[in-house]
Amino acid sequence: MTIILFGILFLPIFSALSITFFSQKHPSISAGISIAISCITFLLTCVLCAMTQSQTLPIEIVYTWLSVGNLSVDLGFLVDRLSLIMLFVVTGVGSLIHIYSKGYMGKDPSLSRYFASLSIFMFSMIGIVLANNFLMIFIFWEMVGLSSYLLIGFWMTKGSAADAAKKAFLCNRIGDTGFLLGIILVWSCLGTLRFGEISNLLSTNPAAFSSLATITGLLLLCGVIGKSAQFPLHVWLPDAMEGPTPVSALIHAATMVAAGVYLLARGFDIFALSAAWPQGLDWLKFSTLDVIATIGAFTALMAALIAVQQNDIKRILAYSTLSQLGYMVMAIGLSYPIAAMYHLTTHAFFKALLFLGAGSVIVALHHEQNIWKMGGLQKRMPITFWTFLIATLALCGIPPLSGFFSKDYIVAEALHKNAYLGTIALVTAFLTTFYMGRLFFVSFIGRTRSKVSDHAKENSTIITMPLILLAIASVFAGFIGIDSYLMPHYSSQSLANTNMVFPYPSIDQAPDNWFKMLIYPFKHAPMAAILSICAVIAGGFLSFIFYFNAKNDILSSKFKTVSLWLKNRLYFDELYQNSAVWLQDKLALICDFIDRWIIGGIIIGIIYRIVDLIGRFCRFSQTGNIQTYTAIFVLGIIVLSYWVINW
């Protein structure tokens, strides 16, 4: 098993190094190396999954990296149900994106650099998934940030792409600063960073963090907010669309933004702790999970609203990702990490399909991304049309597609535990169907809206084959019992009082056929399932009325002010930019005052006077007369002799 784990982790970086040093000038060879190794990594993951079926999980392999006194820094692998299902998503979806990239990026002059960066991205994300401690996660966490910088800014000569890469990098650095401080607090309180040891310590001593429990969780959450683009650091993700479309699919579906949700699920024992509050301050009491749920719900609703008035096909999908990530984060904040990971897994398939489908449209339309210059593609691009339709229905949560089960899981649990958050989840479901219906009807249905749309045709097999495979996964992923597979992983004390609506005790007791699986949500949470479907139907019906064969956006003309705010993304970018400029100016004035008056006027002024007086005194002793110097020398010897004799 150790050899397989090393192969899964290090084969992608071997691919990146091979391309960089040996096949840089041979793009076809570089693409072949990267695609072959990504597929081999997926096959090794399948072998690993098969091997663990007969073994007791978790399996941990630890190597000591650094040992100084009582400090021991370990690096190692942690194989359990959570890492296995995440590894399957990363390598599976990542391999299909590699294959797709060959068709999408085939004529790019920097193809070798692209595939080398893609391999580094895969290596970084696999490292996060297999890490057995916070330090190892942080190392690969930063490598994911570097990889995203390289890929978002891949077309570096394009100013907007370079700016987007810097924006993503800086936003993640802000979040990662808090993440690192949180890791330091975990070490100082528990004396270990290994997940297994942390779980054992907290199960025997839940008060190990004492009053630092909430602040530790919030600092760790900062890393999640940056990486998974939650409010208020959500602004980088839509701009990341400046990178190649396969990169967008990889970031939004299987790697970077999924890392934050995975960290929440992995460190759930820490986030579930509540701090001890001083007497008399109970009215201030809140837990880290409360903050997580609130941020997730707000991000889900905000992103869905903004998506309603975006016209760039990739930006609509980007805000859709923000919204769905908000669902996942909210689920963990409500103490349902299983629901979050369930939705993360299914979402990876249909969101990757949506982005790759959008890429297929963009290629066919000569890189046109405005949906109002598309239309009439259902006959010209049938494979892209049908696969995109499946992904859209899955995202909206239409039964029996995978998105229905995973999204309904979150909606049901939210309604069960918090009516306000449950209502937000339903409104978000309505908005999701509305903006996806708008995107689909305007882009694919009705008349053509431009010459490029009128002359579009279906792409080659290397582009359409991944679409078909992802469409199959989007249909059937909901039936494989992802939640029941993860349940044993969370059979710890942290979920003892959760009282879940969908109580799968083990995978053996999950519904044994597809029909039972389909009616399971209606049986155990009928009100949530019915309300969720009603929200979907209402959103779809309104989008059909407004946008089926529409010539322009009705909402833009009817609600100009609201539309303008949503098109400009609620002016968060402008707010941050102006705030940063204002803050920078004020800090500069303060620094100037300190430099000019305190340091220059007071401190340096005093030092200047003292030095000047000493200089004036010393000047009188510099007469140039040898007799004077001899007298001073003798006087000095007398003083030193007196001091030595008496002291």
Side-chain angles (χ1 to χ4, degrees):
M1 178 178 291
T2 304
I3 296 176
I4 293 177
L5 287 171
F6 271 98
I8 293 173
L9 178 59
F10 289 108
L11 276 176
I13 196 64
F14 171 77
S15 169
L17 294 174
S18 299
I19 293 170
T20 302
F21 291 110
F22 300 109
S23 63
Q24 187 76 24
K25 297 181 180 180
H26 304 283
S28 297
I29 297 176
S30 299
I33 292 173
S34 185
I35 292 171
I37 285 184
S38 66
C39 293
I40 292 172
T41 304
F42 173 66
L43 293 176
L44 289 176
T45 300
C46 295
V47 172
L48 180 65
C49 291
M51 291 176 63
T52 56
Q53 296 303 310
S54 59
Q55 300 188 36
T56 302
L57 296 177
I59 300 171
E60 190 171 10
I61 302 172
V62 182
Y63 300 93
T64 300
W65 177 31
L66 179 66
S67 182
V68 180
N70 295 327
L71 174 64
S72 179
V73 180
D74 297 326
L75 297 179
F77 301 100
L78 179 59
V79 180
D80 56 14
R81 292 173 181 265
L82 185 63
S83 60
L84 283 174
I85 199 164
M86 191 69 184
L87 193 62
F88 184 83
V89 170
V90 171
T91 58
V93 176
S95 297
L96 291 176
I97 292 174
H98 272 72
I99 296 170
Y100 179 95
S101 296
K102 180 63 171 66
Y104 189 92
M105 301 288 293
K107 297 181 181 179
D108 195 284
S110 300
L111 188 67
S112 294
R113 176 166 60 88
Y114 171 82
F115 274 103
S117 301
L118 212 60
S119 296
I120 296 174
F121 210 151
M122 289 286 289
F123 167 70
S124 306
M125 190 62 199
I126 291 172
I128 289 177
V129 173
L130 291 177
N132 75 323
N133 62 77
F134 274 110
L135 178 62
M136 187 172 172
I137 271 194
F138 186 77
I139 292 171
F140 286 104
W141 193 271
E142 296 306 301
M143 289 192 65
V144 166
L146 169 64
S147 306
S148 65
Y149 175 79
L150 295 175
L151 286 169
I152 294 171
F154 176 74
W155 288 314
M156 61 187 73
T157 56
K158 185 180 177 183
S160 56
D163 291 341
K166 289 184 286 186
K167 187 176 183 179
F169 193 81
L170 291 173
C171 286
N172 278 273
R173 296 294 70 72
I174 294 171
D176 293 351
T177 301
F179 184 28
L180 180 59
L181 293 174
I183 292 174
I184 294 172
L185 276 181
V186 172
W187 169 261
S188 63
C189 292
L190 303 182
T192 182
L193 295 176
R194 288 168 57 180
F195 298 121
E197 293 180 353
I198 290 173
S199 296
N200 293 333
L201 284 171
L202 294 181
S203 63
T204 56
N205 182 21
F209 281 100
S210 185
S211 59
L212 296 176
T214 300
I215 188 63
T216 302
L218 292 177
L219 286 172
L220 294 175
L221 177 63
C222 290
V224 176
I225 291 174
K227 199 68 71 184
S228 288
Q230 296 295 285
F231 175 83
L233 297 179
H234 64 281
V235 292
W236 69 267
L237 191 59
D239 288 347
M241 298 301 96
E242 294 293 339
T245 301
V247 171
S248 302
L250 195 63
I251 290 175
H252 285 250
T255 56
M256 187 171 179
V257 296
V261 179
Y262 177 76
L263 177 64
L264 289 175
R266 173 61 72 192
F268 183 75
D269 289 329
I270 295 176
F271 294 109
L273 295 174
S274 295
W277 289 78
Q279 188 174 3
L281 293 179
D282 291 341
W283 61 278
L284 280 175
K285 187 174 182 180
F286 63 90
S287 68
T288 307
L289 290 181
D290 295 331
V291 178
I292 293 172
T294 303
I295 289 175
F298 180 79
T299 305
L301 181 60
M302 174 198 66
L305 283 169
I306 295 175
V308 168
Q309 283 297 287
Q310 298 302 304
N311 294 325
D312 186 306
I313 187 171
K314 289 175 65 177
R315 285 190 181 273
I316 296 172
L317 297 178
Y319 279 105
S320 172
T321 300
L322 278 176
S323 183
Q324 298 304 307
L325 287 170
Y327 264 132
M328 301 172 207
V329 172
M330 179 182 68
I332 292 179
L334 293 171
S335 299
Y336 302 122
I338 295 174
M341 289 303 299
Y342 190 5
H343 195 52
L344 184 151
T345 305
T346 60
H347 175 265
F349 296 123
F350 52 74
K351 184 50 63 71
L353 176 54
L354 285 169
F355 269 106
L356 297 187
S360 178
V361 171
I362 291 170
V363 169
L365 272 60
H366 305 290
H367 296 276
E368 176 58 64
Q369 296 184 197
N370 190 333
I371 61 173
W372 293 101
K373 294 182 180 180
M374 299 179 184
L377 300 177
Q378 74 273 23
K379 295 180 180 179
R380 294 169 176 81
M381 305 179 67
I383 297 177
T384 302
F385 168 77
W386 287 109
T387 54
F388 199 93
L389 175 60
I390 290 172
T392 300
L393 296 177
L395 174 62
C396 295
I398 301 294
L401 304 180
S402 60
F404 165 71
F405 297 102
S406 58
K407 186 205 69 174
D408 190 68
Y409 204 148
I410 296 175
V411 172
E413 305 295 5
L415 288 171
H416 173 68
K417 193 166 185 177
N418 189 309
Y420 295 107
L421 298 183
T423 302
I424 290 176
L426 287 173
V427 173
T428 303
F430 163 79
L431 292 171
T432 300
T433 311
F434 182 78
Y435 68 70
M436 286 306 299
R438 173 180 179 265
L439 166 60
F440 184 78
F441 290 133
V442 174
S443 301
F444 288 92
I445 305 299
R447 59 187 181 83
T448 59
R449 295 180 173 84
S450 65
K451 292 182 178 180
V452 289
S453 177
D454 192 45
H455 294 88
K457 61 180 181 179
E458 191 60 87
N459 289 289
S460 61
T461 304
I462 197 170
I463 288 181
T464 57
M465 183 186 68
L467 302 183
I468 296 172
L469 295 176
L470 286 170
I472 294 172
S474 299
V475 173
F476 296 108
F479 291 102
I480 59 179
I482 296 170
D483 50 346
S484 57
Y485 177 76
L486 287 173
M487 181 61 73
H489 178 81
Y490 289 103
S491 58
S492 62
Q493 185 178 356
S494 59
L495 289 185
N497 299 318
T498 298
N499 189 22
M500 305 179 81
V501 176
F502 295 102
Y504 285 157
S506 69
I507 193 170
D508 298 328
Q509 299 182 29
D512 55 2
N513 62 57
W514 288 9
F515 179 73
K516 289 183 179 180
M517 185 73 183
L518 179 60
I519 66 172
Y520 195 82
F522 297 94
K523 181 179 178 181
H524 287 267
M527 184 58 66
I530 292 172
L531 289 176
S532 179
I533 291 179
C534 288
V536 170
I537 293 174
F541 180 71
L542 282 180
S543 65
F544 177 82
I545 292 177
F546 289 163
Y547 297 109
F548 187 82
N549 209 21
K551 296 181 180 179
N552 50 50
D553 194 336
I554 298 176
L555 292 182
S556 296
S557 57
K558 295 288 186 180
F559 307 97
K560 293 182 179 180
T561 303
V562 175
S563 175
L564 184 63
W565 274 74
L566 296 179
K567 284 181 179 179
N568 287 283
R569 301 176 282 183
L570 299 179
Y571 294 99
F572 276 109
D573 290 278
E574 289 78 6
L575 174 63
Y576 289 171
Q577 181 177 354
N578 293 333
S579 299
V581 171
W582 179 85
L583 181 62
Q584 177 178 299
D585 290 344
K586 297 304 179 184
L587 288 174
L589 289 174
I590 294 172
C591 291
D592 178 68
F593 175 80
I594 294 173
D595 181 63
R596 184 188 300 270
W597 298 104
I598 296 179
I599 297 177
I602 300 176
I603 298 176
I604 294 180
I606 294 173
I607 294 174
Y608 167 77
R609 293 299 179 187
I610 294 173
V611 172
D612 181 63
L613 289 174
I614 294 173
R616 289 176 182 272
F617 174 79
C618 293
R619 188 176 64 187
F620 291 113
S621 65
Q622 305 299 315
T623 62
N625 192 319
I626 192 169
Q627 288 86 355
T628 304
Y629 296 155
T630 303
I632 294 173
F633 179 73
V634 172
L635 181 63
I637 291 176
I638 294 171
V639 172
L640 285 174
S641 299
Y642 177 80
W643 183 80
V644 170
I645 292 171
N646 289 277
W647 294 93

